[in-house]
Amino acid sequence: MRVLLDENMPQAFRFHIQRHEVLTAGYLGLAGMENGHLLHAMIDQKIEALVTLDSNLTYQQNVAKAGIGIVVLRPPSSKFHDILVLSAEVQRALDFLLPGKVTIVPG
């Protein structure tokens, strides 16, 4: 699965996800895009999932219609260590993520 790591995520987190092609918003030139434009760009680039810290995204966009699976992380802080400890849960979420569905980690 092609996975986009949102720009609000530490880029180094991509090295802690296995079995998926993890790309960053900066690498693809998608940094700074509003969420609606980002989802459309993801569809154009054949990206199937988004990993983000933005829990508002699921309320602001029609994720089901976009057909992109989203994993929203809710760590205790935005420090890399607090995000990194969720990597196994993110991996499991991505392994079972369906198009248009949202998974909250931890959840």
Side-chain angles (χ1 to χ4, degrees):
M1 174 185 309
R2 287 175 52 101
V3 178
L4 180 67
L5 200 62
D6 200 0
E7 66 182 311
N8 61 18
M9 295 285 300
Q11 290 189 7
F13 190 75
R14 74 184 186 278
F15 299 116
H16 300 275
I17 302 299
Q18 306 299 311
R19 299 185 298 277
H20 302 284
E21 180 184 3
V22 182
L23 307 162
T24 64
Y27 176 77
L28 294 176
L30 304 178
M33 284 190 162
E34 294 180 12
N35 290 335
H37 296 293
L38 179 64
L39 291 178
H40 288 291
M42 289 174 64
I43 293 167
D44 291 344
Q45 300 228 9
K46 298 182 180 7
I47 296 172
E48 303 161 279
L50 174 68
V51 177
T52 184
L53 294 170
D54 184 359
S55 57
N56 291 325
L57 176 95
T58 59
Y59 302 109
Q60 298 168 346
Q61 302 298 319
N62 188 340
V63 175
K65 182 179 177 185
I68 294 183
I70 297 180
V71 177
V72 178
L73 279 67
R74 291 196 177 150
S77 80
S78 59
K79 293 180 182 174
F80 184 67
H81 178 268
D82 287 338
I83 295 170
L84 184 59
V85 298
L86 300 176
S87 61
E89 290 181 68
V90 171
Q91 181 69 59
R92 277 191 297 279
L94 288 170
D95 289 345
F96 296 100
L97 190 62
L98 297 173
K101 299 297 180 183
V102 177
T103 300
I104 308 295
V105 174

